[in-house]
Amino acid sequence: MMESNHTPNDPREPFEEFDDLESSNADGGSSWPIVLALLVAVSLVGYVIFDGLEAETYFYTVDEAVAQGDDLVGQTVRIKGKVEPGSIEGEAGTLGRKFQVAEKGKTIWVTYDRALPDTFEEGVEVVAQGTVNDSYTLEADEVMVKCPSRYEGQGPHPEGISKEGPQAKR
C-alpha cells in the first residue's frame, strides 16, 4: 500500500496537480500554437461563410422583380429590362439620371448618380444593380448596357474554309 506524504490539509496539494499537467506537455512542447492556429482557421472559415452570404445578389427581370413586391425593399438586386422610351429624366452627359426599365408590361424606376455608358439610350436592354428603396425605385450602383452588335448575325463566311469545325469531321 502506498502512503501519502501529504496531510489532508496540505496547501501545496492543488499546485502539485498543476505541476503534473505541465509535465505532460513538457515532453511534446506547448499546445498553445495549435490552439491558436485552430482558432484562426475557424475564424477564417466563419468569415468566408458569412461574407459569402452577405454578398449574395439576386438577378430578376423587371416583371419578376415587381412580382416580389415589398420583399424586395432594402435588398441588393440586379434587374434586367429595356429602357422605356420617353422615361429618361436628366440631361444627357450629366450625372443624376432617372429612367424606367420595362419587361413584359411591368416597369420599375431606376436612379443612377454616375456616368451612364455611352451606348445607353431608349429601348436598349440594361442590367442595373443596386438597392430597392421604400418607393420601389432601384437606386443603382452600376448600370450595364447589353451590346447589340455582339449578338448580330455573322458576316459572310470566307471562301475555301469549311463552315464545320474539326469536331464535325470526327
Side-chain angles (χ1 to χ4, degrees), residues 19-85:
D19 290 341
D20 290 342
L21 289 175
E22 283 188 355
S23 66
S24 66
N25 287 334
D27 57 343
S30 177
S31 62
W32 281 108
I34 294 171
V35 171
L36 185 62
L38 286 173
L39 284 174
V40 169
V42 168
S43 298
L44 287 174
V45 169
Y47 175 76
V48 168
I49 289 172
F50 288 114
D51 187 52
L53 291 176
E54 288 180 8
E56 196 171 79
T57 302
Y58 291 102
F59 182 89
Y60 298 103
T61 58
V62 173
D63 58 312
E64 293 170 339
V66 171
Q68 294 293 317
D70 290 339
D71 292 341
L72 220 54
V73 173
Q75 290 191 22
T76 300
V77 294
R78 284 185 178 177
I79 297 178
K80 179 187 83 115
K82 288 188 176 184
V83 177
E84 188 76 5

Side-chain angles (χ1 to χ4, degrees), residues 67-145:
Q68 294 293 317
D70 290 339
D71 292 341
L72 220 54
V73 173
Q75 290 191 22
T76 300
V77 294
R78 284 185 178 177
I79 297 178
K80 179 187 83 115
K82 288 188 176 184
V83 177
E84 188 76 5
S87 70
I88 301 174
E89 296 178 4
E91 295 285 326
T94 61
L95 303 178
R97 309 286 299 273
K98 185 175 182 180
F99 55 94
Q100 278 186 319
V101 290
E103 183 87 27
K104 296 181 182 172
K106 303 291 182 185
T107 60
I108 190 168
W109 281 99
V110 177
T111 60
Y112 189 60
D113 293 335
R114 300 179 187 156
L116 287 166
D118 292 339
T119 54
F120 179 86
E121 61 187 21
E122 294 178 346
V124 297
E125 191 169 279
V126 297
V127 175
Q129 179 176 330
T131 305
V132 177
N133 67 17
D134 292 336
S135 62
Y136 219 73
T137 298
L138 179 69
E139 296 174 349
D141 300 324
E142 182 177 12
V143 173
M144 296 172 280
V145 176

